[in-house]
């Protein structure tokens, strides 16, 4: 299993809700920890990955890697999309839906 940690100090629920509540099959063993403890466990190889703040990354950028452009997807059909944007909506180049109907619902 992949060891994944996240903290309740950040708003991560949209990303981890299904995993945290075992609503989907997943390869993760999860831990909810304070960010400082997450950093220590990452540095000592006790975690495979974690969701942390930019501040935690800035404390040790040489030993941490940012996963750029994560993909949110589902292996099962879904009738709903839940997208969160803080800013930069005009910079999004691609939104993918498996069916024409899904894409029509996403496009204005």
């Amino acid at each position: 299993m992949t060891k994944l940690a996240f903290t309740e100090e950040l708003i991560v629920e949209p990303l981890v809700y299904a995993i945290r509540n075992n609503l989907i099959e997943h390869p993760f063993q999860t831990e909810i920890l304070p960010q400082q403890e997450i950093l220590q466990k990452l540095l000592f190889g006790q975690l495979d990955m974690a969701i942390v703040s930019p501040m935690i990354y800035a404390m040790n950028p040489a030993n941490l890697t940012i996963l750029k452009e994560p993909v949110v997807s589902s292996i099962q059909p879904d009738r709903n999309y839940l997208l969160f944007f803080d800013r930069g909506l005009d910079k999004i180049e691609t939104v993918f839906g498996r069916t024409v109907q899904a894409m029509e619902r996403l496009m204005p």
Side-chain angles (χ1 to χ4, degrees), residues 39-101:
L39 176 60
Q40 292 304 314
K41 285 191 168 201
L42 282 169
L43 294 176
F44 289 108
Q46 297 169 339
L47 289 172
D48 298 309
M49 59 193 319
I51 301 171
V52 297
S53 71
M55 179 189 72
I56 293 296
Y57 173 77
M59 294 170 111
N60 209 317
N63 294 313
L64 300 176
T65 301
I66 294 177
L67 174 63
K68 295 183 180 184
E69 300 180 26
V71 175
V72 178
S73 65
S74 172
I75 58 171
Q76 299 173 340
D78 191 351
R79 296 184 345 207
N80 303 301
Y81 288 89
L82 184 58
L83 304 173
F84 293 86
F85 302 98
D86 183 16
R87 60 185 71 86
L89 185 57
D90 59 327
K91 304 264 189 278
I92 295 175
E93 295 178 12
T94 306
V95 176
F96 174 77
R98 289 188 185 269
T99 66
V100 172
Q101 293 83 8

